[in-house]
Structure formats: C-alpha cells, structure tokens
Amino acid sequence: PASQYAKRGSRAIEAALVKILYFDHIRQNKLPGIFFASDLMQCFDRMAHPVCSLVSQRWGVHPNVILCMFTTIQQMKHKIRTGFGDSDREYGNDKVRPLQGGGQGNGASLPLWVAISCILITMLEGEVKGVRLRTAITLQLLVFIAIMYVDDTDILLTDITGNDTLDDVFKRAKKAAKVWDMAVLQTGGALRPEKCYWSAIDFRWKNGRWHYMPMRDFQENIWVYDTNGVKQKVKRLDINNSREGLGVYINPDGSMGKQSKHVIEKITQWTTRLKASSLSIHHVYIDAHTSIFKSIVYLLPGSTFTPKECSHLESVLYKDLLPRLG
C-alpha cells in the first residue's frame, strides 16, 4: 500500500512530510481532526509464524522455504554467553510453546513484517475512512487513514463529508484504534500504550479571527490493550506538543520550537565530541559531511525555520567546526 513507506524508493522523511501536509490541510481549511500515533512492542520478535507463513506464500514464497526457516527458529536452543562462560541453562526448542518471531539478525524479519503490515493497513482502510481530499490540479481523489514506516504507525482522521464535527471524527478515531489494536494482536503483536499518544484538533472563532480549540473543551479518551490484555488509557498531547517520530517532532499546530531544539541538541552533541577529538582537518571534513550534515539535511523537509532560527543553527554548528577545519 502507498501508506507503507518502508519500501524501495521511499524515505522515512517522506512519511513525516505527509503528516505535516495533513496538519497543514486541517489548518488551512479549518477542519476537525484526530491524530493517533501508535507504537508497537518488539514487532520483529512477536510475529506469529502461522501469519508469517500466510503472508509469505501470498508473495510467492515456496512453503518448503518457509518450513525450513521457521522450523530452525523454533528448534534453536539459546544460551547466554558472558565473561564467565556459557550458561548451563537454556531456553527454546519447546514443542508445546515454540519460539516465534523472525529472530535477531535474520534478514527476513523486515520483509516479513512489511508483508504483515500490508494486510493490516488494507484491513484498517476497509473498516474506517480517515482522510479524503482532492488534488488541486489533477483533481485526483486521495483516500488514506495511516502513514507507516516499518512499525511506526500514525492514524490520521478528519472531516470526510463536509459536515463532520469533531465528535463525528472522534467516533471514527475510536473505531480505528480498536480495529488497529485487535488486528495487531491477531498477528502476535501488541501495542505499547505508554508510547502511544493522540491529539484532537478543532477551531474556534471570535470577532472574525480563528484560534485552536483549547484542550479543555474536548474531554474524551482513547483506550487500547497492553501485552497483558489490560485496558490502558492513551495519553493525549496538546496541539503544541509531540513526541519524536521518524527522527522529527511534528506539532499539530505547526510550531517548530521543539524541532529547533532537537536540531540544536544534535549539533551540540556532535560538536562536543569534535572538540574532545584529535582528528586531522581532513578527517573532520569527512566526519562533518558523513554525520552531522546528513542529520541536518534529513530533517529539513520536515522543518519550517525562520531566517533567524537558521542563522542561530549555523552559528552553533560553525563556531566549533570552522576552527577545526582551519
């Protein structure tokens, strides 16, 4: 599906950019919206082998290949190796409760999860409508509900009829969270409620001017199940706040304070190590172009900095870098 960006030709920042455009669309058209960011627990280690087998055969993998890999994983015996030697006790090779998942270091783990996620996204899109908009020039209709990169999944919902209120959107958001929670559970996975969060966006008007709805005006909750099957309340963040996702901070109101601080922290961490190093001018040049410059360039499509903020970022970076470059 187009919603899964962990594929050839796509980059993580493109998924982040879609979220930014989603918030821009809501703000420009003054539409109600619900944003739900979900985090999965150890998705590679929790993949159920029957599900992995089905999604692999769906893509043409021969059953004998699948049998070979998963039988090996289920029959492996694991020991712990320390400086004092190998442990006497072991785990694995349990015929009653065989180990599941792709296994650490298995190159098939990522493709297996992506194959599972394709089913999950298609299932969610068939149950709940999230965003529906038409492009300005080609008049192409875009319909989607989730943005996903590997297991990093954000569910996006807004007005789809032209008359939806925030309550209408929230009802769909609750259903989407429930469907997603149950679907992930059926594959062996589980949500991590303490890492999930959501935001509600709406607008108020006064004297012909708009402002965002205060958080206190909408008192609703979203619940999901943890790994023990206990219902947990998902934390709600205000529109000027967010958590890091795909390496960027995207606040629903478009504010960039947290993102700017994040970039400065990255630069400061790098320059601190640079000052303590004994690298030559040549190696400092290579290090800058292969590390900190790459980090900054990655973040730029998902950032909106003023000229003043850009000048500040440059000064923090170059005051230590330029002297080391001679």
Side-chain angles (χ1 to χ4, degrees), residues 20-21 32 39 48-49 59 88 103 183 199 207 233 248 266 290:
I20 294 171
L21 295 175
D39 187 82
H49 287 177
W59 287 104
D88 294 328
S199 297
N207 298 328
K233 185 169 74 173
V248 295
K266 276 183 171 290
T290 57

Side-chain angles (χ1 to χ4, degrees), residues 191-319:
L191 292 182
R192 189 180 296 178
E194 67 275 11
K195 292 296 183 86
C196 301
Y197 72 95
W198 70 285
S199 297
I201 307 119
D202 206 0
F203 301 87
R204 299 290 183 266
W205 296 84
K206 185 177 181 180
N207 298 328
R209 294 181 177 272
W210 66 271
H211 61 272
Y212 281 103
M213 175 195 71
M215 192 170 174
R216 63 178 178 274
D217 284 6
F218 191 73
Q219 299 293 329
E220 295 287 354
N221 293 305
I222 292 179
W223 301 79
V224 297
Y225 289 94
D226 62 16
T227 54
N228 298 316
V230 179
K231 211 173 186 181
Q232 303 282 356
K233 185 169 74 173
V234 179
K235 184 177 179 62
R236 179 184 172 190
L237 298 183
D238 207 351
I239 56 170
N240 60 356
N241 195 8
S242 64
R243 293 177 183 168
E244 185 179 7
L246 300 177
V248 295
Y249 288 88
I250 303 173
N251 296 344
D253 67 353
S255 57
M256 282 285 139
K258 207 164 186 177
Q259 177 73 336
S260 177
K261 183 180 178 182
H262 176 57
V263 179
I264 291 175
E265 287 175 352
K266 276 183 171 290
I267 294 173
T268 303
Q269 185 180 40
W270 182 81
T271 54
T272 301
R273 293 174 178 172
L274 176 67
K275 287 189 289 186
S277 72
S278 56
L279 294 176
S280 66
I281 290 177
H282 175 66
H283 288 117
V284 169
Y285 179 85
I286 293 175
D287 185 23
H289 279 271
T290 57
S291 58
I292 190 61
F293 285 0
K294 293 287 187 182
S295 297
I296 295 173
V297 168
Y298 168 80
L299 294 169
L300 289 181
S303 308
T304 308
F305 297 137
T306 65
K308 184 177 180 180
E309 288 173 325
C310 290
S311 297
H312 178 58
L313 294 175
E314 284 188 330
S315 65
V316 174
L317 174 62
Y318 289 127
K319 71 177 182 180

Side-chain angles (χ1 to χ4, degrees), residues 156-201:
L156 319 173
L157 304 103
T158 186
D159 177 12
I160 58 174
T161 67
N163 298 305
D164 289 349
T165 64
L166 184 59
D167 289 325
D168 297 327
V169 178
F170 181 74
K171 289 178 183 177
R172 285 190 281 122
K174 282 209 304 185
K175 182 180 179 181
K178 181 179 180 180
V179 169
W180 185 250
D181 194 8
M182 293 296 102
V184 169
L185 186 65
Q186 298 309 310
T187 68
L191 292 182
R192 189 180 296 178
E194 67 275 11
K195 292 296 183 86
C196 301
Y197 72 95
W198 70 285
S199 297
I201 307 119

Side-chain angles (χ1 to χ4, degrees), residues 24-42:
D24 288 347
H25 171 68
I26 285 178
R27 181 168 54 255
Q28 291 167 7
N29 293 279
K30 307 299 179 290
L31 301 174
I34 299 289
F35 171 77
F36 176 72
S38 73
D39 187 82
L40 303 186
M41 178 174 286
Q42 303 166 332

Side-chain angles (χ1 to χ4, degrees), residues 1-7 15 121 125 143-149:
S3 297
Q4 174 59 275
Y5 284 80
K7 58 192 175 190
I121 291 176
E125 290 175 341
V143 181
F144 61 93
I145 188 171
I147 298 299
M148 194 172 195
Y149 192 86

